Amino acid sequence: MSADLGADKAPGTRASAKPARHPLLWPLLTLALLLAVNAAFNPGFLQLQWRDGHLYGSLIDILNRAAPLAVVALGMTLVIATRGIDISVGAVVAMSAAVAALMVGGELVIRDGVQSHVSRFPMPLALAAALAVATLCGLWNGLLVARVGMQPIIATLILMVAGRGIAQLLTGGQIITIYYAPYFYLGSGHLLGLPFAVFVAGAVWLLLHLAMTRSALGLFVQAIGINPAAARVAGLPQRAITLWAYVFCGFAAGVAGLLISANVKSADGNNAGLLMELDAILAVTLGGSLLSGGRFSLAGSVLGALIIQTLTATIYAIGVPPEVNMVVKAAVVFVVMLLQSAEFRAWLGRVAVRRGGP
């Protein structure tokens, strides 16, 4: 078992022996198809250039823009694996960005005739405060779900509404511009020629992957997702694991808020992270995880985020109005949900049998 876990090598399966049944096969094929469509409309789509010590190209742009969503999707994967859902991640992204922007700010200072920008608070303190706020949001959701027993969608709906309002209060309903250059490195800096945000997303995935594969945590999460009551009777700390899944989801949304605000050099309480919960859920489902819990794939969720970002690039490449973007995403969600429905698959099977019959 790995923790792409429940999905990649669930007990009793031999995914490596049957590549055609590997859970990452369809996400990879979908991504490859979208990349091929983009390459067909834009001959230079797959080209990479090395300029000023950095790699440039459409593929790098997709990686960079998908990084925040991938981080949020990883947190969402844990929550969904425990039969939950968190629709407040978009609001948490906005709150994290607002806190960081307020604390970093940036003021123009002239010293000895030289202009420079200084942070309002030390940047490490601002980052820690933003992540702490996001983590507390996750803790709040986890307590409502795991301790109070509230339905996950209702519990997180409360924070989805309240969190957006808090973000708007923090920013005064305005866009807060950040002028502190070191902060920008998080969202637009480069390391080893690649965007730094890609390394952040990779680090979050690696830490989570190691936690799932080097300990029994992955098995516990899978068991809780399959049957929470049975897991509790078996002695698993079902409530504690569920609680920490929401805590991590909040933390991941906070990291995404930092990446987004650093990339656009501002914080917008009205629009930052808006509808990101939809994209995160879609990324998780596209990656092969089950919304009913139990089967999940961390690598699949990252692939799902890349698919969504590539899909957006495809829509722009073929000249479809941006407004249609949401319609296409909604249609994809609809199709994925249908295909994950056992009743729908059974109905399709009956229809196929009737048409193939005498």
Side-chain angles (χ1 to χ4, degrees), residues 3-356:
D4 280 324
L5 259 191
D8 289 352
K9 297 179 183 177
T13 66
R14 301 180 62 183
S16 58
K18 299 178 180 178
R21 296 183 180 181
H22 197 285
L24 295 182
L25 175 64
W26 287 107
L28 284 171
L29 287 178
T30 304
L31 181 60
L33 177 62
L34 289 173
L35 292 175
V37 171
N38 276 280
F41 281 91
N42 180 8
F45 178 77
L46 298 178
Q47 293 180 359
L48 297 176
Q49 294 181 345
W50 185 268
R51 291 181 299 178
D52 302 325
H54 305 149
L55 267 178
Y56 287 94
S58 299
L59 295 178
I60 302 301
D61 289 340
I62 289 175
L63 282 176
N64 190 25
R65 295 180 185 279
L69 176 59
V71 174
V72 176
L74 287 171
M76 186 71 77
T77 302
L78 276 192
V79 170
I80 288 178
T82 59
R83 287 197 174 190
I85 198 165
D86 188 347
I87 59 174
S88 69
V89 289
V92 176
V93 166
M95 279 193 287
S96 171
V99 171
L102 285 173
M103 295 190 68
V104 172
E107 298 176 356
L108 179 63
V109 176
I110 301 177
R111 292 173 181 167
D112 300 328
V114 178
Q115 295 183 352
S116 62
H117 289 96
V118 297
S119 174
R120 189 170 295 130
F121 291 91
M123 198 172 90
L125 178 61
L127 300 182
L131 293 178
V133 169
T135 304
L136 286 175
C137 289
L139 179 62
W140 166 262
N141 286 333
L143 288 173
L144 290 183
V145 174
R147 297 296 179 182
V148 179
M150 197 174 289
Q151 289 292 325
I153 193 169
I154 300 301
T156 55
L157 176 63
I158 296 171
L159 186 59
M160 176 186 177
V161 177
R164 182 65 61 183
I166 293 173
Q168 291 171 340
L169 286 174
L170 290 173
T171 60
Q174 305 295 321
I175 297 176
I176 300 179
T177 304
I178 304 172
Y179 296 98
Y180 189 57
Y183 183 73
F184 304 154
Y185 186 82
L186 292 175
S188 55
H190 288 76
L191 180 64
L192 302 177
L194 293 174
F196 182 71
V198 175
F199 289 92
V200 174
V204 173
W205 172 83
L206 181 61
L207 290 174
L208 201 55
H209 176 76
L210 291 177
M212 292 294 167
T213 56
R214 296 295 186 268
S215 70
L217 182 60
L219 284 172
F220 291 171
V221 170
Q222 188 177 2
I224 293 170
I226 293 173
N227 192 326
R232 186 167 56 250
V233 171
L236 298 185
Q238 182 256 336
R239 289 182 176 177
I241 292 177
T242 301
L243 173 67
W244 285 108
Y246 282 91
V247 169
F248 180 80
C249 189
F251 172 81
V255 173
L258 297 179
L259 295 179
I260 292 173
S261 61
N263 183 262
V264 300
K265 302 177 176 56
S266 63
D268 184 357
N270 301 315
N271 298 304
L274 191 64
L275 298 181
M276 200 169 191
E277 55 277 356
L278 173 64
D279 285 345
I281 296 170
L282 178 56
V284 173
T285 53
L286 286 175
S289 299
L290 287 180
L291 286 181
S292 55
R295 194 183 77 183
F296 64 98
S297 172
L298 301 176
S301 296
V302 174
L303 283 175
L306 291 173
I307 290 172
I308 292 174
Q309 188 56 47
T310 308
L311 176 63
T312 303
T314 305
I315 292 173
Y316 293 149
I318 61 180
V320 175
E323 294 80 5
V324 181
N325 192 345
M326 298 303 298
V327 177
V328 173
K329 287 180 180 176
V332 174
V333 172
F334 179 68
V335 172
V336 170
M337 294 303 101
L338 280 180
L339 293 177
Q340 288 204 5
S341 167
E343 290 80 4
F344 181 75
R345 291 198 301 271
W347 177 79
L348 281 182
R350 290 194 296 271
V351 171
V353 169
R354 289 173 187 170
R355 292 189 174 182

